[in-house]
Amino acid sequence: SLILNNNGDDSMYQVSLMQAFMHGEYDGVITVGDLKKHGDIGLGTFEGVNGEMIVLDGVVYQAAADGSINVMNDNEKIPFATITKFDEDGKIDNINAGNFNDLTSQLNKEIEKYGTNNMYVIKIKGDFSNITVRSVEIQEKPYKEFTDVAAVDQKVFNHTDQTGTLVAVYFPEYMNELNMHGWHLHFLSDDKTKGGHVLGFNG
């Protein structure tokens, strides 16, 4: 099922800018404890790009480079994140998508009802026959730009027969300097043992 949070009249809290992050600004500027004051769902990363962040139901999880899932301490530092307080503005009970592009195409049609120049957070509960996620190894100074980090230090995991939640964040194209425009998806399995930045899946 798909539940949509339309932030046309809500607030989206963001730590730093995508452009700064992409150019190697990985020092933490806010703690996990402070981030949680601003919302209960979102995504991001941790100081030094120490894995992928999934915020779900008010809990801040780390999908680490070794494939593990950890609940992060309130003192952990964050260089980049997007978070909001989730409230249900729309819902689709049965959504079927064969792959990543199929899903984002359906999501694009759904948000056309509300306006494509708004920001959105969508929570998708689903079963996946196959899902591919990535995490990133923690970086040491001097920091590389993120494209170089992803090329060298990205760890990719392929999981079969998973049930879990996709946290999908959408930013419109005119906000491309602030955040990645389009859809950015992170996954967390129901048993809290698998997750990360979504590279692809089969329904």
Side-chain angles (χ1 to χ4, degrees), residues 4 28 41 43 47 51 54 81 89 97 142 149 156 162 179 184 187 198:
L4 178 136
I41 187 169
L43 44 77
E47 185 162 71
I54 308 105
D89 295 311
V149 172
V156 177
Q162 295 298 309
N179 206 310
H184 184 178
F187 172 75
V198 179

Side-chain angles (χ1 to χ4, degrees), residues 19-88:
Q19 288 298 321
F21 176 77
M22 293 299 291
H23 287 300
E25 296 292 333
Y26 307 147
D27 285 338
V29 294
I30 188 175
T31 65
V32 166
D34 285 337
L35 182 74
K36 290 193 294 188
K37 296 174 184 175
H38 298 279
D40 52 27
I41 187 169
L43 44 77
T45 188
F46 303 95
E47 185 162 71
V49 204
N50 187 15
E52 303 282 348
M53 176 196 296
I54 308 105
V55 185
L56 190 61
D57 300 325
V59 181
V60 178
Y61 299 94
Q62 175 208 41
D66 65 359
S68 65
I69 301 294
N70 307 295
V71 175
M72 295 304 267
N73 187 289
D74 280 352
N75 294 325
E76 291 285 341
K77 294 271 190 73
I78 296 164
F80 180 80
T82 303
I83 192 169
T84 191
K85 292 181 173 68
F86 195 87
D87 60 284
E88 186 179 317

